Amino acid sequence: MSIETQNNVYIEDEIDLKQLFESLSERKLTIIFVFFITLAFGIAFAYFAQPIYKTSTTIQVKTNDKQLQTDMLQAAIQGMPNTEIDTELGILQSYTLIKEVLNNVVFDIRYFKKENFKTLEVFVDEAPFKVLYSYPENSEFIGRMFSIKPLDTDTFELSTLDSWKDITGLTQNPTYNAKHKYNEKIINEHFSITISKKRDFIDEEYFFSFNDKRSLIENMIKPNLFANIFMKNGSIVEISYEDNLPQRAQIFTNALANAYIQQNININTEEATKKLDFIEKQIVEIKSNLEKSAINVEQFKQKYDLMDIATQTQASMQKLIVYDQELAQIEIEEEQAKRVLELLETGDFSSLSIAPLQISDLLINSLMQALSEAERERRSLLVEFTERHPEVMKVTQNIAKIKNEILSNIKSLYQGIKNRRESIEKIIEKNEAYFKKLPEKEREYIDLMRKFQVNENMYAYLLEKQYEASIIKASKVSNSRIIDPALLPLKPLKPKISLIIAVSAVLGLILGIMIALIRNALDNTIKNYEDITNESKIPVIGSIPFIKGYKDTYHVIHNDPKSVYAESFRAIRTNLQFMATYSSHKTIMISSTIPAEGKTTTSSNLGAILAMSDKKTIILNLDLRLPTLHKVFNLPNDSGMSNFLSGHTQPEEIIQNTEITNLDIISSGPVPPNPSELIMSERMKEIIEFLKQSYDYIILDTPPLGLVTDATILANLADITLLVVKSNYAKKGFVTNFEKTAKAHNIKNTGIILNALLRKKAYSGYGYGGYGYGGYGYGEYGYEKRSKKSWFKHLLKI
């Protein structure tokens, strides 16, 4: 790419960037409006949004050390989570545990106060009254908002507030409105309420609502309750809860942690109780067997007068006693596992809550927890749906799957116990071969001693287990402990007001710019000189500035000849001298595409500026349908062009002098029924030829080109045809249509005047740009010197 090409690209990019900023500057009011509206919405949202407070507590969950080590090793190698910790996380967020907490923490009565145009929830201790209530489960007033308005120190008005659904008729909820006294019991079929006053609140507006536990848990508590592992592969769990009230957040979080600890204690106590009952039953049986064995051994020794057996035999016997004891323990486990399996096969899964002596399986415990959660979920769904509902059927299938997995694991556990028993029996049978060589009486004695020793050891073992279970039951010890209790939150977690305002401001600015660019892209009105030159090759002979606050724009030239407005017409006058040089007496036709573009104003001021240069000038009002020129100069319209063209008057009779020297006009006269035919007549040419003998400039103020054919006919009689185009009003297509019309009708010496141009656009264009010489103007509406902004634009152009 050449340097010239590179420079061209650079200049083009620069111009595009400048045009972008100019386009945004034109729509600055849109940008500012959208910015402040969006910012106002952001501020309103931040103000009316309910504050959310967050607090948390940490709990150490103690797990089986061996299993924990295995899980941690798996997590380190395979990235597997700690199954037991995950189970405890599920328990902490379970419906059952939360419902237990709500039995001790008052959540179902919520108090509200209206203050500074917004409604805020207040803590129960801060409310000036207290509500005691009861209601049936199907009460239609559950969740409804009640308003309480004190009437005096003893009475109040209680009424329900209508929701938007009630107002729009989407629901037909019952309403309530009545006067009551404090401490009066309000009873009806829907609820029973007693309201007691704690302090006077006559000038304050309060509300309250009562809610059922299920809706509170599902809609308010569970979505805002979080339980997570505090550290990776650790046994510390963090419980966090978010609430509108900081006091309630703290109370609930601590209550949930304490309920979890208490539940753990209750489970341990229940298991210890069941374990103790099982052991005590076994002790009674073993004790009976032990007593019988002792009697049998003593009687046998006395009967046969046996002394102690040999040392080798004694050692072998002690070895067998150990195996016998182990077999006895396994048989107890097998019996318990068999009983549990038989119960499970009948569908009774509650039997797993009875913990046998040595049966422990973390997977089974985890599956039982999952079964409990699934059954709770199914019960919740059945409140609203039938058993054939897809969600209920899905949960039912899941429950059946979990039960099959539990049954399969119990069967595997039972089979493992049987295999251990058979293995011990084979070892015992192998060791009994030594005793078969002994005399019969000695063998009988050894058998009695084995039974006695086994019963004695088992009795001691069961007494030890009984003692351990008794300690656990009495101590009420939990496997978990609270490390850090929840603290009262000092500031809300959200809304983050500064962030909301900042985002709203940025979003408002972006939306404002986007809307401004979209409006700019959809806007096809002419705004500046470049918009005309891009659409047509017809030259722009001048631009007329927009004058804000000037009521009489028709006589600006006459009243303020040194104004910027007057300078723009002087520039046009100068440019007209170079058009149609073949004619010494120039006929200028001024038209527009549509009404209200300023052609009459342009005609009157152009005539005035020409007259001020000692040029005899006359303006003909040829808009016979909507005559306005006579109003501009405060002259009558009794007789004019329509009278002459219809052959009723002569030119001398319709010419009227104005207060401006060298400037005359001919008004349109009465509105004729056939204006187009009159303009097409030969008398139109005759009057123009007549006027050329006395005037230097003849200005034809014609109807809009785009509406009637009058202007097209007159264009052939004019030396110069000018189209007035109003900035920010006329469409770009108007200029294109004018060029096509000029070519089609062979109209020569055409030009465009850009009217009502904003000052910032007036420096571009043909000639002097309409703002005087090089940007300097005079008078009330002029500039004494170029502004800093215009100098900056000038530098950009360079």
Side-chain angles (χ1 to χ4, degrees), residues 174-406:
T175 59
Y176 185 87
N177 186 283
K179 297 178 182 179
H180 298 282
K181 290 186 177 182
Y182 295 108
N183 299 317
E184 172 190 349
K185 195 164 188 178
I186 308 167
I187 303 176
N188 57 48
E189 60 180 331
H190 297 289
F191 55 79
S192 173
I193 298 177
T194 302
I195 299 177
S196 59
K197 184 174 67 172
K198 295 193 287 187
R199 63 172 177 82
D200 290 331
F201 58 104
I202 293 178
D203 297 329
E204 299 172 285
E205 190 172 2
Y206 279 89
F207 313 93
F208 70 88
S209 66
F210 45 86
N211 307 270
D212 65 307
K213 289 183 173 59
R214 178 178 174 181
S215 62
L216 282 171
I217 294 173
E218 294 180 353
N219 302 324
M220 177 180 170
I221 297 176
K222 291 203 79 171
N224 298 308
L225 179 63
F226 309 95
N228 301 290
I229 299 174
F230 191 68
M231 354 178 184
K232 188 177 180 180
N233 298 328
S235 61
I236 298 177
V237 173
E238 180 184 53
I239 308 171
S240 58
Y241 178 66
E242 298 176 2
D243 200 289
N244 296 338
L245 301 175
Q247 303 95 327
R248 192 167 61 194
Q250 180 191 28
I251 291 172
F252 175 79
T253 307
N254 285 327
L256 182 67
N258 289 324
Y260 171 75
I261 298 297
Q262 186 60 46
Q263 185 187 71
N264 199 298
I265 292 172
N266 294 341
I267 291 173
N268 289 345
T269 303
E270 182 182 2
E271 289 183 354
T273 301
K274 292 177 180 179
K275 196 173 192 179
L276 191 60
D277 293 341
F278 177 78
I279 292 171
E280 287 175 350
K281 290 179 182 178
Q282 296 293 325
I283 285 176
V284 172
E285 183 179 350
I286 294 297
K287 184 179 180 182
S288 176
N289 293 336
L290 177 62
E291 290 174 351
K292 291 179 181 179
S293 299
I295 293 172
N296 290 335
V297 169
E298 189 61 30
Q299 289 178 349
F300 189 87
K301 288 176 67 177
Q302 291 177 359
K303 182 178 180 180
Y304 296 103
D305 193 23
L306 292 177
M307 303 296 294
D308 291 337
I309 58 180
T311 303
Q312 182 180 358
T313 304
Q314 181 73 24
S316 298
M317 185 183 69
Q318 291 297 328
K319 187 176 180 180
L320 272 176
I321 289 173
V322 173
Y323 290 130
D324 289 338
Q325 182 179 346
E326 185 175 352
L327 179 62
Q329 293 177 8
I330 292 175
E331 287 175 346
I332 293 175
E333 290 183 32
E334 184 181 11
E335 179 187 351
Q336 183 64 17
K338 182 180 180 181
R339 189 164 69 88
V340 169
L341 183 59
E342 289 173 351
L343 291 172
L344 291 182
E345 288 177 342
T346 62
D348 183 9
F349 279 77
S350 61
S351 60
L352 284 179
S353 61
I354 302 174
L357 293 180
Q358 297 295 332
I359 297 179
S360 60
D361 190 286
L362 290 176
L363 179 57
I364 294 175
N365 292 335
S366 176
L367 289 171
M368 283 301 299
Q369 178 62 36
L371 176 63
S372 176
E373 286 294 317
E375 289 178 338
R376 181 201 62 77
E377 184 180 358
R378 185 175 184 274
R379 286 194 299 270
S380 300
L381 290 171
L382 286 174
V383 175
E384 298 182 8
F385 309 111
T386 65
E387 293 186 353
R388 293 186 175 274
H389 191 274
E391 289 294 328
V392 178
M393 293 177 66
K394 182 179 178 181
V395 175
T396 304
Q397 291 173 359
N398 187 38
I399 290 174
K401 181 180 178 182
I402 294 173
K403 286 183 176 181
N404 288 334
E405 291 181 5
I406 293 173

Side-chain angles (χ1 to χ4, degrees), residues 784-796:
E784 294 182 359
K785 60 180 180 178
R786 191 189 299 269
S787 65
K788 292 181 179 179
K789 186 175 180 181
S790 64
W791 278 112
F792 177 70
K793 287 185 176 181
H794 179 67
L795 290 173
L796 283 177

Side-chain angles (χ1 to χ4, degrees), residues 748-798:
K748 306 295 183 183
N749 293 320
T750 55
I752 295 174
I753 296 175
L754 187 56
N755 186 29
L757 186 65
L758 297 175
R759 290 184 177 182
K760 61 183 179 180
K761 298 293 183 183
Y763 289 104
S764 59
Y766 184 82
Y768 296 101
Y771 262 37
Y773 302 99
Y776 289 90
Y778 308 94
E780 181 181 357
Y781 297 99
Y783 295 113
E784 294 182 359
K785 60 180 180 178
R786 191 189 299 269
S787 65
K788 292 181 179 179
K789 186 175 180 181
S790 64
W791 278 112
F792 177 70
K793 287 185 176 181
H794 179 67
L795 290 173
L796 283 177
K797 289 181 180 180
I798 297 175

